[in-house]
Amino acid sequence: MKLLILYNKISGRNKYYKKLDYIKDKLKTKYDQIDIIYDDLLEALKNNNYDTLLIIGGDGTINHSVNIIASLNIKIRLAFIPNGTCNDLSRTYGYKNLKKSLEIILNDNYIKRDLYKINDKYFLYGFSIGGITRIANNENRKIFGKLSYYLHGFINIFKRPNNNFY
């Protein structure tokens, strides 16, 4: 079996970078070939036949990966090691930390999930519009972490939307 690991160096302040060898060693018991990439997922998936894609990153990395997979129309198992600010999607699917993630992968505890599409974008879990999107995409999350979502949400309560719907 072949595993591709997509590691996002920006997510989670790069906390798992020093543990990549440990992760790879643990997964060698299950996979014959393990490749690690840091970018260009499209090229890696186009040129190889992987059984599983392990995403080490946050919700944005997962969303980006899902859209690439859907554009290629390929079937591949997805696994996660949460490494972002909130990791809502990973945690919802049971990937709470490194130990739990490796346990799920090694024990084949995969579950089938639907893939959703709105216009030309795909997603697994949720989508947002308007003020919620501004909160999720705030730049302060790199400095303040989860707290930035609450602060940005509170500030946006008092802002008038910049659209023509009112």
Side-chain angles (χ1 to χ4, degrees):
M1 291 184 56
K2 292 171 63 175
L3 172 72
L4 176 63
I5 298 174
L6 173 63
Y7 185 85
N8 185 343
K9 291 180 181 180
I10 298 170
S11 291
R13 296 188 173 112
N14 208 15
K15 71 180 176 185
Y16 286 122
Y17 187 73
K18 292 181 180 176
K19 294 184 180 184
L20 280 175
D21 287 335
Y22 168 80
I23 293 167
K24 198 171 176 180
D25 286 344
K26 284 285 191 184
L27 296 173
K28 279 182 184 176
T29 60
K30 181 179 179 76
Y31 293 96
D32 304 317
Q33 178 183 335
I34 300 174
D35 298 325
I36 300 173
I37 62 169
Y38 303 97
D39 55 21
D40 214 353
L41 178 62
L42 181 65
E43 282 304 310
L45 291 176
K46 264 201 271 186
N47 297 322
N48 292 285
N49 220 4
Y50 292 102
D51 301 290
T52 305
L53 171 62
L54 171 57
I55 302 167
I56 304 176
D59 293 331
T61 309
I62 294 169
N63 185 56
H64 177 73
S65 301
V66 164
N67 276 277
I68 289 173
I69 292 165
S71 74
L72 293 172
N73 198 26
I74 60 173
K75 290 190 177 190
I76 188 170
R77 287 180 173 178
L78 294 180
F80 315 109
I81 294 178
N83 191 35
T85 307
C86 289
N87 303 297
D88 194 36
L89 183 125
S90 299
R91 292 180 201 282
T92 298
Y93 290 161
Y95 297 87
K96 298 180 189 304
N97 54 45
L98 179 59
K99 182 180 176 185
K100 185 66 176 167
S101 295
L102 292 173
E103 180 184 307
I104 290 170
I105 297 164
L106 292 171
N107 292 323
D108 277 332
N109 289 338
Y110 293 98
I111 48 177
K112 289 189 176 186
R113 293 288 182 211
D114 291 325
L115 179 65
Y116 305 97
K117 182 180 181 183
I118 294 180
N119 296 328
D120 61 341
K121 297 291 182 192
Y122 294 88
F123 60 98
L124 289 173
Y125 176 69
F127 71 98
S128 63
I129 58 173
I132 304 257
T133 303
R134 283 194 307 271
I135 294 167
N137 291 322
N138 81 81
E139 286 299 315
N140 293 326
R141 71 176 189 256
K142 293 173 183 151
I143 300 166
F144 298 110
K146 290 180 188 178
L147 179 62
S148 71
Y149 291 103
Y150 300 114
L151 293 171
H152 206 74
F154 182 75
I155 290 166
N156 274 283
I157 290 172
F158 302 104
K159 281 188 176 180
R160 182 177 169 94
N162 294 331
N163 58 40
N164 296 323
F165 297 117
Y166 293 92

